[in-house]
Amino acid sequence: QLQLVESGGGSVEAGGSLRLSCKASGGSISRYSVVWFRQAPGKEREGLGIMTSDGGLRYTDSNSVKGRFTISKDSAKNTLLLQMVDLKPEDTAMYYCAARAGWSSALVPGLYSYWGQGTQVTVSS
């Protein structure tokens, strides 16, 4: 059973940076497609980007994070990373990683079986 634990969230001022981690246990993260989602209060869960099981990357078409968020993987640590720069108050949300076995490029929450508990990001103006 794959388990995911997010970390790295916190409070930063606008323009700052954070790097979130999604550490997997119970299986190799490379066998899964892993997505970063976020959910702000009162809003739907938003898919930010995915690393597919074959190492491909796909990001949301939304301009909300384009060019500011980057996904990478630290295979030695069995961890997926989300580097966020130039953070804005509207990036304030709970950030989650989620995974499913095998290949997927979808950013649809309902397709993912394994979820972390989330890490809070708060950006002040």
Side-chain angles (χ1 to χ4, degrees):
Q1 180 88 355
L2 189 73
Q3 294 183 325
L4 303 172
V5 178
E6 301 95 335
S7 62
S11 296
V12 296
E13 293 185 352
S17 301
L18 284 173
R19 189 177 74 168
L20 306 185
S21 296
C22 170
K23 183 169 178 58
S25 60
S28 171
I29 201 169
S30 296
R31 293 181 179 270
Y32 295 79
S33 295
V34 187
V35 188
W36 280 103
F37 291 98
R38 70 182 180 185
Q39 188 165 21
K43 295 189 176 181
E44 292 186 354
R45 197 161 291 191
E46 174 187 18
L48 302 174
I50 183 171
M51 180 167 283
T52 60
S53 58
D54 60 357
L57 284 173
R58 177 197 169 199
Y59 294 94
T60 175
D61 293 330
S62 168
N63 289 325
S64 60
V65 302
K66 196 167 290 185
R68 298 189 297 119
F69 289 11
T70 304
I71 294 172
S72 62
K73 182 170 62 178
D74 185 338
S75 296
K77 296 182 179 179
N78 211 28
T79 297
L80 195 72
L81 304 169
L82 179 65
Q83 179 69 49
M84 306 185 294
V85 300
D86 190 24
L87 284 163
K88 305 176 186 299
E90 51 265 41
D91 294 318
T92 295
M94 186 70 80
Y95 284 70
Y96 302 89
C97 60
R100 63 176 291 172
W103 194 91
S104 174
S105 65
L107 300 179
V108 178
L111 296 179
Y112 293 87
S113 304
Y114 305 101
W115 288 80
Q117 82 289 349
T119 186
Q120 177 69 37
V121 172
T122 302
V123 184
S124 59
S125 57

